[in-house]
Amino acid sequence: MIDTDDESPDLAVVVERPDETIADRPVTTEDGDTRTVADDNPEYDSEMPAVVVAFVTGLDTGWPDWTDAAPDELADGVRDHDVKRYTFPETRLTTVPTEDADAFREAQTTVDMAALQTHLEDADWTIEREGLLLTVEKFDEQYHIHPTGDVDGDGQVRQPLTNIVENYTT
């Protein structure tokens, strides 16, 4: 899963789907102030179901064997290993296709997709973002740009596009 409101999202895993809405789900801040997930997400319906995730980087660090756990063991496992959890409105998250999630995890996003998207928009490319994949079009040619820097598609502007993508590779 990724956060659709984040221009440079980190890969996350759903660890719990509580029977609560975001209006019912409290968030405690470092200064002890308590508010709800709905308070932090006013653009979402307060009756939206809450979803609890853990980011893959936190799981890898705090619980290296998490990938061996069954899905129904994730909620207890993150608590037992003190992995930080985050609660989101359900529709704020989107599923990442397995092949993109694997590439993302291996590459840890080698391309600054947000900056690349801005550059291409400024250059009048038509852009659609689905999860980690950018689908871009110019001169009736369509290309898919992956977070690893791979560019799928054939056409006259493939090589110039590949060169642009390389400029946003970290």
Side-chain angles (χ1 to χ4, degrees):
M1 304 296 286
I2 60 168
D3 177 3
T4 58
D5 286 357
D6 189 338
E7 288 187 16
S8 184
D10 292 319
L11 193 59
V13 175
V14 174
V15 296
E16 185 179 356
R17 290 185 179 271
D19 291 331
E20 296 174 297
T21 67
I22 61 173
D24 300 327
R25 192 73 179 187
V27 175
T28 303
T29 62
E30 290 180 18
D31 62 6
D33 185 32
T34 302
R35 58 186 187 277
T36 67
V37 175
D39 294 333
D40 287 350
N41 294 275
E43 62 277 11
Y44 292 89
D45 181 355
S46 63
E47 295 305 308
M48 175 81 51
V51 176
V52 181
V53 302
F55 290 104
V56 170
T57 53
L59 285 163
D60 286 344
T61 302
W63 183 18
D65 297 329
W66 73 271
T67 56
D68 296 332
D72 62 343
E73 297 171 348
L74 289 174
D76 289 335
V78 294
R79 281 187 201 92
D80 293 346
H81 292 88
D82 293 320
V83 175
K84 188 148 176 72
R85 298 173 314 262
Y86 301 85
T87 305
F88 288 88
E90 184 177 58
T91 59
R92 185 171 163 176
L93 301 171
T94 188
T95 302
V96 177
T98 303
E99 62 274 5
D100 282 342
D102 290 344
F104 182 89
R105 190 154 188 241
E106 289 172 17
Q108 290 297 301
T109 311
T110 59
V111 175
D112 183 344
M113 297 298 269
L116 174 63
Q117 181 175 347
T118 299
H119 177 94
L120 293 174
E121 286 170 344
D122 290 346
D124 294 324
W125 285 76
T126 302
I127 298 173
E128 184 177 319
R129 187 168 183 166
E130 294 179 44
L132 300 176
L133 182 71
L134 279 182
T135 300
V136 299
E137 187 175 323
K138 191 156 190 163
F139 306 123
D140 295 322
E141 297 176 8
Q142 189 177 70
Y143 302 90
H144 300 289
I145 304 170
H146 300 269
T148 57
D150 294 325
V151 177
D152 297 335
D154 294 316
Q156 295 180 33
V157 293
R158 183 181 193 284
Q159 189 57 52
L161 177 59
T162 300
N163 294 342
I164 292 168
V165 171
E166 286 177 6
N167 288 329
Y168 291 90
T169 302
T170 57

